[in-house]
Amino acid sequence: MNPGKVSPKVTSGRSAGSNLHRKLAQSIGNQILSGVYAPGAILPNEADWCRIYGASRTTVREAVKTLTAKGLLKSRTKIGSRVEPRENWNILDRDVLAWHMASMNPQEFFASVQEVRKILEPEIAALAALNRTPQQLRAITEAFEDMRKARPGRSSVVPDVRFHLALLAAANNVLLSPFGIMIEAALTNMFEFTSTHNAEPDMFIPKHEGILKAVARGNANAARKAALSLLTDTDQTIAQVPIKARKARKAKS
Amino acid sequence: MNPGKVSPKVTSGRSAGSNLHRKLAQSIGNQILSGVYAPGAILPNEADWCRIYGASRTTVREAVKTLTAKGLLKSRTKIGSRVEPRENWNILDRDVLAWHMASMNPQEFFASVQEVRKILEPEIAALAALNRTPQQLRAITEAFEDMRKARPGRSSVVPDVRFHLALLAAANNVLLSPFGIMIEAALTNMFEFTSTHNAEPDMFIPKHEGILKAVARGNANAARKAALSLLTDTDQTIAQVPIKARKARKAKS
DNA sequence: AATCCTTATTTGTATGACAATTCGGCATGA
DNA sequence: TCATGCCGAATTGTCATACAAATAAGGATT
């Protein structure tokens, strides 16, 4: 994975980073997330990166700054750049999450996602029921309508995402907003592996409608319950794909 | 070039950004978070920043790249840099959260934090009870012991933070790890405003012990309940404290 | 053995130049 | 009037080079 010339791996060209420093950041980021450089390891220095990618030092440094800002790196004079411990990584950053997904077993990833979603989304729905503004309710409603109108399939994913993001926004707590990225990634990519939107629209729409109605009439408990129900439902759809047990992270003792 | 001509506002010189591009990023970041530049607004261009801070374009660009990586900005040729909508901000980034706190009403901030903590920490405790490794349990235990040993006061905050972070790590779900930053910020700064650690160590220690024991014997429900109890307890402590306006930490230069 | 100093390596900052992108207006034409 | 396409100017993107600053490592001195 380390050819002498241009870009080892410009994988997952999502979100179109046409800029060179962006491409470098993606490439290096992918290598870190995929374990080529483990936490604590010292990365090649700037001059090395210049040679590896055939880019100028300015560009390399901008890429490094980007990764540093996302918590993946830390640079020190005379030492070089060292990979930060995982708990400092900004995993809910759009790019970092993408790199993470690219180097992970999908089932394992969706297991983590669903775990978090089951914790958060019911409470998000409850908060939305309590705190939503009329405008936010309208946004949720519109997303729902578009969802219902859409034919099952790829296109129905978009309003589905919009629905959940609108719900999140309606919870009116900034500290929860980073999860928008996760939800978006989950719904969008789940489509690639499952056929949620094809399989059971008959289940799907009413469940969402249940959330909407509960939020509309400000019933937190009902909203919570409806959201949880949707999630467990999604779980079953996922479960059709062979599930692998959670990997116990190991260390020994 | 222009020595001594540093910045409109190099406030909250936290975490020692000795580097110039870091200082610029902090300064600009603070301005964005405090609303000087609202989402959608177009920032001064690179040449302007150079003049404003008396720094080279290289440095300015690295600062801008940092902010871009944190989701605060987006640069386009011929347009300049535009502030991104809030939902794209990486609010759980260490720096962004600090800037956010610096420009916010403390009560409001702690209200948001507690809301999220009450949602997450009980579930984190429950997950920890189920998924912890022996090593992770030991880390939690050690933090607890240090907490008990410490005299109430500032020093007891450190092991307290360690306790909660160890718990978080023991939940073994990467997607939750960004909240470590939030928990850390909450506990550390809460000390500045409340006297949690002075006021009721008699309450405090047993509550933590309850969580520890539940996690130790793998009882998820008990862990959840204990964690929630600690949180509602903390709520009361906060409520007692008359809020004084936060004093911006000042750095001069 | 301990301390201090020198040196080498690596990141940090500055400068000037040119490339690439694209917005905005202008000209042209239907 | 409106649409289309071209041109020029503003701004970010990339490059090359030079020097400054920090500091780890090893050697010199005591």
Side-chain angles (χ1 to χ4, degrees), chain B residues 3 19 22 59 107 114 120 129 162 165 251:
Chain B
N19 299 333
R22 235 177 153 68
T59 301
Q107 313 149 39
Q114 286 301 106
L120 283 181
R162 253 179 54 221
L165 292 186

Side-chain angles (χ1 to χ4, degrees), chain B residues 2-10 20 23-24 27 52-54 253:
Chain B
N2 265 322
K5 160 117 184 215
V6 183
S7 98
K9 223 180 167 182
V10 192
L20 187 48
K23 283 183 188 166
L24 296 210
S27 176
I52 292 173
Y53 291 106
S253 29

